[in-house]
Amino acid sequence: MTPPNTAATAAGTVAVLPPRYNAAEDLLARNLAAGRGDKVAYVDDATSLTYAALDARARRFAGALRDAGFRQEERLLLCALDTVDFPTVFLGCLLAGVVPVAVNTLLTADDYAYMLEHSGARAVVVSTPLLPVMQAAIDKSGLSPTVIQAAPHGDAAPACSVGAMLARTRSPAPVARTGPDDMAFWLYSSGSTGRPKGTVHTHGNLFHTADLYARQVLGIREDDVVFSAAKLFFAYGLGNALTFPMSVGATTVLMAERPTPTAVFRRLREQRPTVFYGVPTLFAGMLAAPDLPARDEVALRVCTSAGEALPRDIGERFLAHFGCDILDGIGSTEMLHIFLSNRPGEVRYGTTGQAVPGYQLKLLDERGEPCAPGEIGDLYIKGPSAALMYWCNRDKTRDTFVGEWTRSGDKYLRDADGYYTYAGRSDDMLKVGGIYVSPFEVEAALALHPSVLEAAVIGVADADELVKPKAFVVLRPGQQWHGGMAAELQAFIKSRLAPYKYPRQIECVTELPKTATGKIQRFRLRQREEAARQSPTTPS
């Protein structure tokens, strides 16, 4: 993805896009122009598409939207599993100037009803297995959007389905006259801190994430086969499995089912992807699984991790087993993809790496002053992929998008070499005895214990209403909780961290509350603890 002009910034070289630019037209046309029309672009659980077939399908879907009377910037809710229909619809919408609103496929009818009302979506594209919950959402909302099914390939297509629309519409629509700063699509924030927000992104943002991260950091290539456990409706997954591979003509493996270790192992063995995108909880589960593939069963050359900071132990064990680094990074829905990352050949496990080219970072203390090396501060990002706004949420927009800078909501510290180490969410940080304690630091230490699979730490008020850390731990398969384990884990933490950081309470749970991206929802644990405090009959 190389436009004619570039501009030098303090953070590196950023491409300057032409006044007229449509991201879908760019991604599709560049592959046909490069002679990749007959190359497989996508392989899903039932079928495959070449780049030429994908181009034809996307353009026909744009024509179907035109024939249905859709106007530029009208919204379409996209609630689809990872099949070839997702890129068909997403790219077709962009070609037509219609705004796809990609939403999590694991939500409730109440969630979808809110998103329908909030986005004002005129239509919904929904995978057939998700139709009952979407219909319940439509009933709750009182709206009447057109429902278009994304039916499994091979099934009889209903009259109003993606397949039927493509069959009826053979003539493509003219590409919408869009520019790099025009609204292209929405993503809803993952909800790790509460109500999701409609995050509005532009055509140019898709270009910049592929150019700055995928090309300059990840080093994605035309001969790669890529596989993302993170789904296409996430900001992380959308880049991983759509923008990034299409920017160079790679082949993408799509998986509709949940990304369990067993499901992932099947694709790693059968499709032999060279690039794999995961999240820390999945990597931990993979390493703990009994059917972990041997190194010679896979073809991995590089992996990435995002969503939460990758514990050092997981990265080092993965590298030792597969001989393949995990590039830990951090991105956000607001910045669309990763802006801070480790790089091939320069990985420091336990850190999130350095700024991605084209992005500037700064850490500010509680007074808004720059932090010195080694000091924990709030992370701000400046870069070309920042969202325009949160739709119909001016207060949150002003709070997050501060001039040219985006407030991440994360706390970090930076060392003298420019490597950043995660210190927790801004709203998750604890002050114990007046000193900041990072929940992630305690969680990472707990995860080093041979009995612990994963952990979450929150602040809980003691009898004196002073905040103290409490840990929730999930044990590894085959491990049993016993009466002395809490004391054992506390001693384990004290031997590795400053004594004041140890969790005063430890509770064993079967699972931790998470978003579908794998982010631990510590606010749900806090809500549970607060409810228990308010209920005198609830046992401690």
Side-chain angles (χ1 to χ4, degrees):
M1 302 176 86
T2 308
N5 300 306
T6 58
T9 72
T13 301
V14 176
V16 178
L17 294 169
R20 183 178 176 186
Y21 179 79
N22 184 286
E25 181 181 35
D26 179 10
L27 290 168
L28 292 164
R30 70 175 49 250
N31 285 294
L32 298 188
R36 291 190 284 260
D38 293 333
K39 183 179 180 181
V40 173
Y42 283 98
V43 179
D44 69 12
D45 298 333
T47 190
S48 63
L49 281 183
T50 64
Y51 273 101
L54 176 62
D55 179 86
R57 281 170 59 92
R59 293 181 188 278
R60 287 207 308 272
F61 191 79
L65 293 174
R66 173 206 59 197
D67 293 347
F70 273 82
R71 294 173 295 181
Q72 192 160 331
E73 296 194 352
E74 287 189 313
R75 269 81 67 194
L76 177 149
L77 203 74
L78 177 54
C79 185
L81 301 173
D82 277 21
T83 73
V84 295
D85 277 346
F86 191 111
T88 296
V89 172
F90 187 88
L91 295 168
C93 284
L94 265 58
L95 288 171
V98 173
V99 177
V101 181
V103 297
N104 190 328
T105 58
L106 302 174
L107 300 180
T108 66
D110 286 339
D111 294 322
Y112 294 136
Y114 165 75
M115 292 172 178
L116 283 167
E117 295 174 14
H118 182 253
S119 67
R122 177 175 166 181
V124 177
V125 171
V126 56
S127 291
T128 302
L130 308 175
L131 187 58
V133 67
M134 185 57 69
Q135 188 58 58
I138 292 170
D139 294 342
K140 284 177 177 287
S141 72
L143 303 174
S144 301
T146 300
V147 177
I148 304 165
Q149 291 188 52
H153 288 269
D155 289 6
C160 194
S161 67
V162 174
M165 291 174 69
L166 295 177
R168 288 194 300 266
T169 306
R170 292 294 177 182
S171 60
V175 176
R177 295 183 64 85
T178 56
D181 292 335
D182 281 340
M183 178 167 61
F185 64 100
W186 297 11
L187 298 169
Y188 276 92
S189 62
S190 61
S192 60
T193 57
R195 196 67 152 168
K197 300 175 287 293
T199 311
V200 180
H201 278 287
T202 69
H203 285 268
N205 290 358
L206 290 169
F207 174 92
H208 291 301
T209 53
D211 183 49
L212 298 174
Y213 176 75
R215 184 175 67 84
Q216 299 187 44
V217 174
L218 183 59
I220 194 168
R221 308 189 304 239
E222 181 181 352
D223 62 349
D224 276 320
V225 175
V226 308
F227 173 40
S228 177
K231 301 300 185 180
L232 280 162
F233 57 76
F234 298 128
Y236 181 43
L238 184 67
N240 297 345
L242 194 147
T243 321
F244 295 178
M246 289 190 67
S247 72
V248 295
T251 295
T252 301
V253 176
L254 297 178
M255 179 177 73
E257 64 184 297
R258 289 181 58 248
T260 63
T262 297
V264 168
F265 295 158
R266 178 183 164 193
R267 275 75 181 181
L268 293 182
R269 288 185 171 107
E270 294 180 358
Q271 304 291 347
R272 296 183 66 80
T274 54
V275 180
F276 175 64
Y277 309 90
V279 296
T281 51
L282 176 59
F283 286 117
M286 290 167 63
L287 290 170
D291 54 342
L292 180 69
R295 181 183 298 193
D296 61 4
E297 292 183 89
V298 303
L300 296 173
R301 72 171 184 86
V302 66
C303 297
T304 73
S305 180
E308 286 197 297
L310 181 76
R312 178 194 302 270
D313 176 62
I314 292 174
E316 291 175 345
R317 287 194 290 126
F318 192 92
L319 174 61
H321 182 84
F322 287 111
C324 172
D325 269 318
I326 301 174
L327 306 182
D328 187 29
I330 183 175
S332 66
T333 305
E334 291 77 11
M335 295 302 296
L336 188 55
H337 213 276
I338 290 172
F339 49 78
L340 169 62
S341 178
N342 281 274
R343 305 182 191 190
E346 302 177 27
V347 174
R348 292 190 187 180
Y349 287 115
T351 80
T352 318
Q354 299 173 298
V356 168
Y359 293 87
Q360 297 178 54
L361 309 177
K362 66 180 179 182
L363 297 177
L364 301 181
D365 62 20
E366 291 178 323
R367 303 182 305 276
E369 298 296 326
C371 293
E375 291 183 349
I376 293 176
D378 293 301
L379 178 66
Y380 288 73
I381 313 101
K382 178 181 176 182
S385 64
L388 288 175
M389 67 180 117
Y390 297 129
W391 188 259
C392 291
N393 198 333
R394 182 172 294 185
D395 289 343
K396 285 290 186 182
T397 295
R398 287 173 170 168
D399 185 58
T400 299
F401 303 102
V402 186
E404 295 183 290
W405 295 87
T406 300
R407 189 196 311 268
S408 72
D410 294 297
K411 287 197 179 279
Y412 267 86
L413 57 88
R414 182 183 63 251
D415 67 17
D417 295 328
Y419 280 78
Y420 287 74
T421 299
Y422 184 63
R425 289 286 299 172
S426 298
D427 51 3
D428 288 334
M429 290 293 291
L430 312 177
K431 263 195 174 179
V432 179
I435 305 173
Y436 270 122
V437 174
S438 164
F440 179 79
E441 183 182 24
V442 183
E443 292 162 4
L446 280 166
L448 294 175
H449 191 279
S451 296
V452 176
L453 177 63
E454 57 183 353
V457 174
I458 64 170
V460 175
D462 64 12
D464 296 320
E465 295 298 317
L466 298 175
V467 172
K468 297 294 188 292
K470 176 175 180 177
F472 299 82
V473 299
V474 177
L475 298 182
R476 292 182 180 275
Q479 298 296 316
Q480 297 293 323
W481 183 263
H482 56 77
M485 184 167 280
E488 178 185 330
L489 292 175
Q490 288 172 329
F492 185 81
I493 295 301
K494 289 179 182 178
S495 71
R496 284 160 174 77
L497 302 178
Y500 68 87
K501 296 182 179 181
Y502 84 95
R504 290 5 177 221
Q505 302 176 56
I506 301 181
E507 181 178 339
C508 181
V509 295
T510 57
E511 62 180 1
L512 298 173
K514 297 171 186 170
T515 68
T517 55
K519 294 181 183 179
I520 295 172
Q521 293 177 308
R522 296 179 186 85
F523 78 96
R524 294 199 181 278
L525 295 172
R526 289 195 292 268
Q527 289 173 345
R528 198 191 80 171
E529 289 297 303
E530 183 59 27
R533 290 185 63 195
Q534 299 298 324
S535 175
T537 60
T538 302
S540 60

